[in-house]
Amino acid sequence: MLKSKTFLKKTRAGGVMKIVREHYLRDDIGCGAAGCTACCGAHEGPALEPQPQDPASSLCPQPHYLLPDTNVLLHQIDVLEDPAIRNVIVLQTVLQEVRNRSAPVYKRIRDVANNQEKHFYTFTNEHHRETYVEQEQGENANDRNDRAIRVAAKWYNEHLKKMSADNQLQVIFITNDRKNKEKAVEEGIPAFTCEEYVKSLTANPELIDRLACLSEEGNEIESGKIIFSEHLPLSKLQQGIKSGTYLQGTFRASRENYLEATVWIHGDSEENKEIILQGLKHLNRAIHEDIVAVELLPKSQWVAPSSVVLHDEGQNEDDVEKEEEREQMLKTAVSENMLKPTGRVVGIIKRNWRPYCGMLSKSDIKESRRHLFTPADKRIPRIRIETRQASTLEGRRIIVAIDGWPRNSRYPNGHFVKNLGDVGEKETETEVLLLEHDVPHQPFSQAVLSFLPKMPWGITEKDMKNREDLRHLCICSVDPPGCTDIDDALHCRELENGNLEVGVHIADVSHFIRPGNALDQESARRGTTVYLCEKRIDMVPELLSSNLCSLKCDVDRLAFSCIWEMNHSAEILKTKFTKSVINSKASLTYAEAQLRIDSANMRDDITTSLRGLNKLAKILKKKRIEKGALTLSSPEVRFHMDSETHDPIDLQTKELRETNSMVEEFMLLANISVAKKIHEEFSEHALLRKHPAPPPSNYEILVKAARSRNLEIKTDTAKSLAESLDQAESPTFPYLNTLLRILATRCMMQAVYFCSGMDNDFHHYGLASPIYTHFTSPIRRYADVIVHRLLAVAIGADCTYPELTDKHKLADICKNLNYRHKMAQYAQRASVAFHTQLFFKSKGRVSEEAYILFVRKNAIVVLIPKYGLEGTVFFEEKDKPNPRLIYDDEIPSLKIEDTVFHVFDKVKVKIMLDSSNLQHQKIRMSLVEPQIPGISISPDDISNMNLNGPEKKKMKLEK
Amino acid sequence: MAGLELLSDQGYRVDGRRAGELRKIQARMGVFAQADGSAYIEQGNTKALAVVYGPHEIRGSRARALPDRALVNCQYSSATFSTGERKRRPHGDRKSCEMGLQLRQTFEAAILTQLHPRSQIDIYVQVLQADGGTYAACVNAATLAVLDAGIPMRDFVCACSAGFVDGTALADLSHVEEAAGGPQLALALLPASGQIALLEMDARLHEDHLEQVLEAAAQAAQDVHILLDRVVRQHIWPSPDYPLLQSGPWGCFSPNIPRVSWHRQGWYAPHFMLRTPQLQ
């Protein structure tokens, strides 16, 4: 065992500092080939196969291992992930470079390397005595790494030859760098470019499509003119950011207008928080979610956010002039104070590309291999891909990854990754929306399932330790119909001293999910159960969610109970937390429970218990509202599904009963009690939930809208908001209050999980509670599992474990949970939208009453109360003369010809499904009433079934 | 962008060692003729010099003299050029004082102080270059210097640090690993009996992990002992069998070094005046 020392000099924060580090070289690092006698298997984990039976390559017929360089790994990871590619040597040098350059690729390559089937081996070449190379004078780090890779490749070839004389094993060096390849060949290393190698795999032609197309410098110049200005190098950007000439921020493309985006500036400075970018050239090839550097434009060039809705529809990619025309359209005259800081992208600090779902828009030219791909997410630009199977991919949902965006190209270049299935099919669409929202939905792996309890399961003596037997209590659960994951149950009884005992019993999921095992890790990753319209993506395996943890009636179940002693005015006298065993006496639906409470002649235990609960809940709710809790509203819909085809046959807004709020009230109480307890016990690492108060500017739209109806909404505190919302009634317009509440909901901030040690503002604005957490749904939320564990430690019923008391780990968990919750919410909305489409597809076109929620420059957003459906009515259409539109932001109102639209106006719209764009089938709404000539259509206008452009009948103006 | 990966998936640390391996240790005894005992040690890039005077009469205030045992006086300093950025004060700051105190506690537990009542033993340690594990290097250097001075001890005192990264305990942390901010534990051991002379950790570490880290540190300290033992032998009977500057860095993992120390088999240098330690 030899060692040597390297001396590295590094500069940090301006100063030059000499850093001396040791670097040990070893001779006990194995080559990774199973059965290699020289290395005597000096490692564990996945190894290379001794005789790889790899896909026959016409270039190198003998068995071989692959050794890719950094750029191949970074750009062609999709190819490497293919099951056909096996036996790959990943050098430490390569892996470190990948790690520094792209975290997602690094994670993917590690996942691949851990897969036994793939036979990937990571060779620690930097610490191997024979493959270590020192940086030479005048050699830069990149060249040194390239040389290190070649040295390792050469060593491998010699080493394998030594293994046995007749062994034909070869190591093939894969690089896309021409010079590097030449040098390798000179040194006698078999080397190919990735493209050459993949094309030589005659058995797997489909791999070619997965190749990332990276145009070489050569053919870049010839094709057309340069559209975009150059991105500045990172060093310049950092300099600029430090000196303040550039600002760093996250790029957020607009969903509604492809020529507009905002950049959220990082850091705490108050001014210039949000910068607007307008026009293709100013967007300069940035893609949604990228971290970019922007330069502020002089004030004279500032613009206001346009309220225009604009989609990229041109097929021809050379019509840059046309784009400029459209850009001009955005710049309409606006008042001075509307102007927002405007900038342009000067460079990209970090790309945040991921594979995108979408559809192929086949090129008009037959036999063309270049096609445009339209992502499902409208914030992502269209991507040009090269494929031979365009005809088979047409009409399918596919996944595409971006490879790059050259300066002379209108669209980014990408490559095909995966085919999901036919568009419009329920399974495909569900898959798409799960993928687009990054919802982990694969079936649970064997490793995860192995931690489930063995069936038949029963409560044992051991389980009863630290547990109270509450099976004698008259406990029941109240849930929506069809609910199989029942995580809460309630009871209420009168005590001898006249007080009431109320218990909330929550499924004891943390008893089954032990910290740190695969089951725990998987649930932590999923974070939440996602409810789609026809499907549920469970956070924990079904055995737990629908059976062992579910507090079904008439079976013994483990629970975590929170028991209060209250007097009749709902004041808490005593709180007790305990793990318990319960036996629920009834599983009721909200309607059933309501029926029991209302029918006077029922006097059984369950009913009296429910009545007691209901009485207390009403008092609790009153108290809560007095404190300033908000009652907001959002239209929620339920689909009635056909039991066989699972197609939606009816659409209904959710009904709210007294019992809904009864259960909710006690859940809130339990959550608050638990939050207090765990924060008391673990002031540094309690997992809590907060709801920040929205900044006053959020309410602007609500206040303006109310003012147009001569109502005043006070927004200084939650309480005054709640009160003014209560008072905002109009005798002639009963639905106004609901509309105002819907608008108020839109003004709110997201509630988030956080770790108490990392934050000092705990307030929950919406519930008006100083502290809050989630405790009551551990089957479907991971946050509750953590809270259960904390509480169990606090009451001494369970032992602690290292990660639980590590606030940084907890903060990481919170971050993931917040992300998953947000994504789950979006996925649910997308699922509802898809099913609404299916519903209207079967229903044909209908006319409904609607209320205007927002007014835009060229459209109005309306809400249809009957279906809880929201949609946009456009007033500008292609190939039609634009109507005279006057938009007033102050009131806000939109004047079309002679009709004025205000927020909350009642209109009548026609709803139909627009399938002109296969990818984005959408609900389309057109105005029926009030009638405007040239704009509205007649209600009984069925003659024009041509959905793409309904003809307009001239109607007489009514006003 | 991404921080340093302290332990790769393949089980190698930043400098190429495995989790339980020590850095290369080189040491010399009797580097100064003037002092009663002296030693110099290199543990990787950490370099320390120890000088021992005594036992001698109490210097300064007589009131400090202890009636039943010798007073152990330890002073720690680190050279201004020992770290990447130049230090202002070589000694006397809070950290140096604390280190001196820890060294004193360590050696009070190892030196048979009751043999020299009313006298004083001075141990001066200076760190010339700091690259992690300064306490351990100081203890190891001081042990050799005390041995060189012929002061009777219960046993060697061997020290080593250990850290904890991604569920694995790392022995003998380098500066890079220390700077990463994980928990770090310093352990001084009397290797024959396995008794702990000093254990120090001032970071948060869950108690479930403590045993694992302690185990790693103890094992590393045992390995240090084997190496120090060889240095002592080499010093007394220089022989080509034990080339001084090539004591392998991996201690017991190296096949040509016997795992069992001769010390334990009851062999003692006569002028050490050691008493057989009570073996458990």
Side-chain angles (χ1 to χ4, degrees):
Chain A
M1 290 172 195
L2 218 80
K3 75 166 190 177
S4 83
K5 287 169 192 166
T6 55
F7 297 86
L8 305 171
K9 275 178 199 169
K10 265 192 182 174
T11 55
R12 267 191 206 158
V16 177
M17 199 158 124
K18 186 168 178 187
I19 291 178
V20 183
R21 275 188 202 164
E22 283 183 296
H23 192 97
Y24 290 93
L25 301 184
R26 324 179 54 112
D27 52 12
D28 65 344
I29 298 173
C31 69
C36 171
T37 44
C39 308
C40 48
H43 68 276
E44 58 258 25
L48 305 163
E49 287 175 298
Q51 280 300 319
Q53 300 301 320
D54 257 356
S57 164
S58 54
L59 277 173
C60 35
Q62 62 266 67
H64 55 265
Y65 302 141
L66 299 180
L67 196 152
D69 78 352
T70 314
N71 282 322
V72 171
L73 216 60
L74 275 175
H75 301 305
Q76 309 290 1
I77 180 80
D78 283 324
V79 175
L80 292 172
E81 272 179 346
D82 194 277
I85 303 283
R86 295 186 305 157
N87 292 302
V88 175
I89 299 161
V90 183
L91 296 182
Q92 184 195 10
T93 317
V94 173
L95 203 60
Q96 288 304 328
E97 272 191 286
V98 169
R99 187 168 182 270
N100 289 332
R101 283 169 58 182
S102 166
V105 175
Y106 179 68
K107 190 184 171 297
R108 282 166 78 182
I109 197 73
R110 266 175 60 162
D111 288 347
V112 174
N114 286 331
N115 183 351
Q116 299 277 352
E117 299 285 296
K118 294 281 285 172
H119 296 285
F120 272 47
Y121 175 67
T122 313
F123 180 61
T124 313
N125 65 319
E126 294 286 354
H127 291 288
H128 192 282
R129 191 166 65 173
E130 286 165 55
T131 55
Y132 173 72
V133 295
E134 218 158 335
Q135 192 163 0
E136 280 166 7
Q137 198 103 51
E139 189 180 39
N140 66 23
N142 268 334
D143 290 345
R144 184 244 159 225
N145 285 346
D146 285 345
R147 191 158 60 88
I149 295 167
R150 288 199 306 273
V151 167
K154 193 167 180 180
W155 176 84
Y156 252 104
N157 272 322
E158 280 162 13
H159 179 80
L160 292 177
K161 228 172 262 163
K162 250 186 278 169
M163 209 160 112
S164 67
D166 53 295
N167 200 334
Q168 291 292 308
L169 257 177
Q170 259 192 344
V171 167
I172 293 175
F173 179 41
I174 307 281
T175 177
N176 284 338
D177 183 347
R178 197 154 28 85
K179 277 188 207 144
N180 201 2
K181 191 188 150 196
E182 276 166 19
K183 275 188 192 159
V185 172
E186 239 168 68
E187 289 167 28
I189 308 162
F192 301 112
T193 65
C194 195
E195 211 177 332
E196 284 171 346
Y197 180 77
V198 170
K199 282 190 177 149
S200 77
L201 301 176
T202 41
N204 301 75
E206 76 283 356
L207 265 182
I208 297 171
D209 280 348
R210 303 187 68 163
L211 265 179
C213 49
L214 293 165
S215 57
E216 278 176 43
E217 311 92 69
N219 39 4
E220 214 168 276
I221 305 155
E222 63 192 73
S223 62
K225 60 178 186 184
I226 283 166
I227 305 172
F228 299 104
S229 56
E230 201 168 359
H231 285 156
L232 296 177
L234 199 57
S235 54
K236 269 215 180 120
L237 292 180
Q238 276 162 348
Q239 240 173 41
I241 288 165
K242 211 171 256 171
S243 67
T245 36
Y246 304 143
L247 297 165
Q248 177 178 341
T250 312
F251 184 89
R252 297 194 173 278
S254 157
R255 228 183 266 273
E256 295 175 336
N257 184 341
Y258 76 100
L259 290 173
E260 196 173 278
T262 49
V263 171
W264 287 87
I265 301 304
H266 298 170
D268 304 322
S269 71
E270 280 300 308
E271 52 165 0
N272 297 343
K273 200 71 197 123
E274 195 184 334
I275 291 181
I276 294 182
L277 311 175
Q278 230 173 42
L280 264 189
K281 278 181 187 161
H282 287 173
L283 300 181
N284 199 0
R285 294 173 282 159
I287 291 172
H288 185 65
E289 291 277 294
D290 284 349
I291 313 268
V292 297
V294 289
E295 183 186 37
L296 270 180
L297 296 175
K299 268 214 168 106
S300 57
Q301 293 180 38
W302 283 15
V303 296
S306 68
S307 317
V308 180
V309 180
L310 210 56
H311 294 306
D312 186 9
E313 269 150 4
Q315 175 66 252
N316 191 354
E317 43 187 86
D318 297 325
D319 49 1
V320 183
E321 284 81 15
K322 222 181 196 173
E323 305 289 357
E324 275 163 16
E325 245 169 66
R326 291 180 137 195
E327 279 167 28
Q328 281 308 317
M329 198 179 104
L330 300 178
K331 289 172 192 142
T332 43
V334 273
S335 57
E336 274 296 293
N337 54 359
M338 290 289 294
L339 296 177
K340 292 270 168 66
T342 309
R344 66 182 190 95
V345 172
V346 289
I348 308 281
I349 292 163
K350 190 167 163 273
R351 290 288 196 188
N352 263 333
W353 293 341
R354 59 182 175 91
Y356 301 101
C357 289
M359 283 179 72
L360 201 66
S361 331
K362 216 172 146 196
S363 168
D364 295 336
I365 311 153
K366 237 171 135 194
E367 282 113 30
S368 168
R369 273 168 33 202
R370 288 190 167 187
H371 305 275
L372 277 182
F373 160 86
T374 315
D377 188 342
K378 283 183 194 150
R379 290 169 299 191
I380 309 296
R382 301 203 282 172
I383 302 166
R384 189 190 301 115
I385 64 168
E386 207 168 305
T387 178
R388 272 162 244 244
Q389 27 179 351
S391 41
T392 51
L393 292 182
E394 206 183 4
R396 303 274 181 121
R397 292 277 189 185
I398 59 173
I399 296 181
V400 160
I402 302 185
D403 300 324
W405 196 340
R407 287 176 62 196
N408 55 7
S409 162
R410 166 73 177 77
Y411 298 108
N413 292 331
H415 65 272
F416 164 75
V417 178
K418 199 177 161 192
N419 183 354
L420 294 175
D422 280 328
V423 71
E425 266 185 26
K426 227 179 295 166
E427 278 87 70
T428 315
E429 296 299 325
T430 309
E431 175 91 14
V432 167
L433 72 91
L434 290 176
L435 278 171
E436 270 300 298
H437 296 99
D438 194 14
V439 177
H441 59 283
Q442 278 76 27
F444 289 96
S445 71
Q446 275 310 313
V448 171
L449 295 176
S450 69
F451 286 98
L452 290 178
K454 301 284 165 292
M455 293 300 281
W457 174 85
I459 295 167
T460 61
E461 198 66 16
K462 218 174 106 201
D463 296 336
M464 288 306 291
K465 211 180 125 203
N466 293 326
R467 224 172 253 285
E468 214 168 305
D469 193 345
L470 301 178
R471 277 177 279 202
H472 58 279
L473 290 177
C474 182
I475 295 170
C476 65
S477 63
V478 184
D479 285 285
C483 176
T484 59
D485 48 351
I486 305 171
D487 36 24
D488 48 80
L490 299 156
H491 90 270
C492 171
R493 64 171 179 178
E494 197 148 338
L495 294 174
E496 282 161 10
N497 59 11
N499 287 337
L500 291 168
E501 182 194 78
V502 178
V504 167
H505 311 273
I506 307 297
D508 191 5
V509 177
S510 62
H511 177 84
F512 297 100
I513 302 184
R514 300 311 299 167
N517 66 26
L519 176 57
D520 182 47
Q521 280 166 5
E522 181 62 24
S523 353
R525 192 170 78 92
R526 298 193 175 209
T528 171
T529 295
V530 183
Y531 295 88
L532 304 182
C533 289
E534 83 299 359
K535 202 175 170 184
R536 189 176 83 198
I537 317 290
D538 276 324
M539 181 185 82
V540 295
E542 188 162 12
L543 177 69
L544 290 183
S545 67
S546 307
N547 189 357
L548 297 186
C549 288
S550 181
L551 303 176
K552 297 190 288 190
C553 59
D554 301 325
V555 280
D556 289 352
R557 288 285 175 254
L558 301 180
F560 210 139
S561 303
C562 174
I563 298 168
W564 300 281
E565 192 180 324
M566 290 183 183
N567 58 19
H568 284 269
S569 49
E571 281 157 1
I572 299 171
L573 305 172
K574 227 193 291 175
T575 311
K576 187 175 87 175
F577 304 101
T578 176
K579 291 220 171 191
S580 60
V581 184
I582 63 162
N583 190 324
S584 168
K585 300 289 179 285
S587 303
L588 307 172
T589 64
Y590 291 120
E592 282 168 3
Q594 190 67 51
L595 218 64
R596 272 172 185 262
I597 292 173
D598 293 344
S599 55
N601 51 359
M602 291 189 81
R603 301 206 178 279
D604 56 302
D605 278 354
I606 296 172
T607 313
T608 33
S609 172
L610 283 173
R611 285 200 188 113
L613 288 168
N614 199 28
K615 203 183 93 200
L616 288 172
K618 279 183 190 162
I619 305 171
L620 286 170
K621 184 165 187 181
K622 206 173 128 229
K623 277 191 195 166
R624 209 161 53 80
I625 287 173
E626 270 167 21
K627 266 199 262 164
L630 297 172
T631 341
L632 298 174
S633 165
S634 60
E636 278 191 79
V637 287
R638 265 189 97 77
F639 288 95
H640 287 264
M641 299 283 188
D642 188 312
S643 56
E644 273 170 26
T645 59
H646 295 287
D647 284 333
I649 44 177
D650 199 5
L651 196 76
Q652 197 179 57
T653 44
K654 253 185 204 165
E655 225 181 306
L656 283 179
R657 291 189 179 80
E658 229 173 35
T659 40
N660 288 53
S661 100
M662 172 188 93
V663 174
E664 191 194 330
E665 227 35 73
F666 283 104
M667 295 306 134
L668 293 177
L669 194 61
N671 286 337
I672 293 170
S673 296
V674 171
K676 277 183 196 151
K677 175 80 181 170
I678 59 172
H679 181 247
E680 213 169 84
E681 204 76 20
F682 302 101
S683 58
E684 279 292 290
H685 39 255
L687 193 156
L688 301 175
R689 189 167 172 86
K690 69 170 174 182
H691 184 208
S697 62
N698 276 22
Y699 287 122
E700 237 165 66
I701 189 155
L702 174 69
V703 174
K704 272 187 195 167
R707 203 177 292 145
S708 72
R709 293 273 155 185
N710 294 324
L711 291 169
E712 199 191 352
I713 300 285
K714 288 198 203 94
T715 57
D716 40 344
T717 61
K719 190 164 181 196
S720 63
L721 174 66
E723 275 168 3
S724 52
L725 276 176
D726 285 341
Q727 285 158 9
E729 297 270 1
S730 158
T732 53
F733 188 6
Y735 199 64
L736 177 67
N737 193 270
T738 317
L739 284 172
L740 279 170
R741 285 182 200 275
I742 291 171
L743 268 189
T745 315
R746 304 283 165 94
C747 303
M748 292 297 148
M749 308 277 284
Q750 275 278 344
V752 289
Y753 296 111
F754 69 104
C755 168
S756 62
M758 311 288 268
D759 209 327
N760 42 27
D761 173 29
F762 295 178
H763 195 75
H764 197 292
Y765 180 79
L767 295 173
S769 166
I771 191 165
Y772 191 67
T773 192
H774 270 164
F775 168 74
T776 51
S777 301
I779 302 180
R780 58 186 178 89
R781 290 189 304 230
Y782 188 74
D784 303 51
V785 177
I786 296 279
V787 170
H788 272 227
R789 286 178 186 160
L790 287 167
L791 186 63
V793 174
I795 61 166
D798 206 342
C799 52
T800 171
Y801 62 100
E803 281 75 31
L804 194 64
T805 52
D806 184 334
K807 67 177 178 183
H808 296 284
K809 290 239 167 75
L810 211 56
D812 286 346
I813 291 176
C814 290
K815 210 172 133 199
N816 180 45
L817 289 179
N818 289 331
Y819 172 71
R820 294 289 180 202
H821 273 272
K822 197 172 73 189
M823 281 326 206
Q825 224 172 33
Y826 291 162
Q828 276 155 22
R829 275 185 219 160
S831 176
V832 168
F834 175 63
H835 280 82
T836 317
Q837 285 165 20
L838 284 185
F839 173 69
F840 283 106
K841 197 175 183 178
S842 57
K843 190 139 179 155
R845 36 179 68 194
V846 279
S847 291
E848 285 298 340
E849 278 182 1
Y851 295 102
I852 300 178
L853 267 188
F854 302 105
V855 178
R856 300 247 186 272
K857 230 179 200 175
N858 62 347
I860 51 172
V861 180
V862 297
L863 178 86
I864 299 162
K866 187 176 173 192
Y867 301 120
L869 179 70
E870 200 182 312
T872 314
V873 181
F874 293 99
F875 294 118
E876 269 173 349
E877 276 184 80
K878 275 189 296 182
D879 327 317
K880 294 270 163 67
N882 283 345
R884 197 156 45 81
L885 295 176
I886 300 160
Y887 174 70
D888 184 353
D889 186 59
E890 276 309 303
I891 304 193
S893 68
L894 180 69
K895 191 172 179 188
I896 305 159
E897 304 289 336
D898 294 319
T899 319
V900 185
F901 289 96
H902 287 109
V903 175
F904 301 145
D905 278 355
K906 193 170 174 182
V907 292
K908 202 163 192 181
V909 293
K910 176 168 273 190
I911 312 161
M912 57 202 147
L913 187 71
D914 178 358
S915 5
S916 59
N917 182 348
L918 256 182
Q919 159 117 301
H920 295 287
Q921 290 196 345
K922 56 192 169 201
I923 301 290
R924 187 179 170 120
M925 297 188 185
S926 357
L927 197 63
V928 177
E929 264 171 47
Q931 290 164 340
I932 304 168
I935 304 289
S936 61
I937 56 170
S938 95
D940 42 41
D941 181 10
I942 319 179
S943 62
N944 44 32
M945 285 307 275
N946 168 23
L947 294 175
N948 294 344
E951 269 179 46
K952 281 157 198 169
K953 270 189 180 175
K954 290 260 171 190
M955 282 295 225
K956 242 195 171 172
L957 202 70
E958 271 191 358
K959 258 187 182 173
Chain B
M1 188 188 70
L4 260 180
E5 188 180 37
L6 291 182
L7 190 68
S8 74
D9 286 349
Q10 291 70 45
Y12 297 106
R13 289 155 69 173
V14 181
D15 53 9
R17 286 182 288 158
R18 285 188 180 278
E21 290 172 348
L22 297 178
R23 289 175 289 178
K24 183 173 178 175
I25 293 181
Q26 298 179 347
R28 261 178 79 187
M29 292 169 73
V31 282
F32 301 123
Q34 190 75 56
D36 292 329
S38 58
Y40 169 71
I41 196 164
E42 289 183 6
Q43 284 184 264
N45 280 330
T46 302
K47 299 174 184 182
L49 199 57
V51 177
V52 170
Y53 293 95
H56 55 72
E57 268 185 35
I58 293 277
R59 303 249 161 87
S61 161
R62 296 250 161 200
R64 289 200 305 151
L66 302 167
D68 56 339
R69 58 198 162 94
L71 178 80
V72 180
N73 170 36
C74 290
Q75 264 185 32
Y76 167 90
S77 66
S78 87
T80 50
F81 50 82
S82 63
T83 48
E85 278 172 70
R86 266 184 104 77
K87 285 181 56 162
R88 291 273 155 73
R89 281 172 72 170
H91 58 84
D93 58 332
R94 213 181 64 83
K95 228 183 126 201
S96 304
C97 293
E98 191 185 343
M99 189 72 100
L101 219 63
Q102 284 172 357
L103 286 173
R104 177 177 169 172
Q105 282 173 14
T106 314
F107 282 93
E108 273 177 348
I111 296 175
L112 296 168
T113 46
Q114 68 273 30
L115 295 181
H116 308 283
R118 312 190 63 77
S119 53
Q120 179 179 354
I121 298 166
D122 292 319
I123 303 175
Y124 300 110
V125 192
Q126 183 164 36
V127 170
L128 301 177
Q129 192 171 324
D131 186 29
T134 43
Y135 168 77
C138 289
V139 170
N140 296 335
T143 300
L144 293 178
V146 172
L147 287 172
D148 187 40
I151 297 169
M153 294 213 285
R154 287 192 176 79
D155 192 358
F156 282 68
V157 204
C158 297
C160 197
S161 62
F164 190 74
V165 169
D166 297 340
T168 315
L170 306 183
D172 195 13
L173 300 185
S174 70
H175 176 68
V176 189
E177 288 160 336
E178 280 184 1
Q184 186 198 346
L185 171 147
L187 170 76
L189 204 66
L190 304 181
S193 59
Q195 283 172 322
I196 292 173
L198 186 112
L199 176 64
E200 197 240 347
M201 183 175 69
D202 47 16
R204 280 168 65 100
L205 177 72
H206 197 272
E207 57 174 319
D208 290 3
H209 294 145
L210 182 63
E211 196 171 342
Q212 191 190 350
V213 181
L214 201 57
E215 186 70 25
Q219 182 58 52
Q222 293 285 0
D223 296 341
V224 169
H225 172 241
I226 296 167
L227 294 168
L228 295 190
D229 187 66
R230 288 210 315 174
V231 173
V232 175
R233 271 162 224 288
Q234 175 78 38
H235 180 61
I236 302 162
W237 298 304
S239 99
D241 292 346
Y242 293 110
L244 179 65
L245 290 175
Q246 280 192 17
S247 48
W250 286 286
C252 61
F253 294 101
S254 182
N256 53 3
I257 302 174
R259 189 72 188 67
V260 182
S261 90
W262 291 341
H263 189 128
R264 236 183 268 187
Q265 291 163 357
W267 177 94
Y268 299 104
H271 71 284
F272 280 8
M273 300 192 298
L274 285 179
R275 216 175 287 165
T276 318
Q278 287 299 307
L279 296 178
Q280 289 158 341

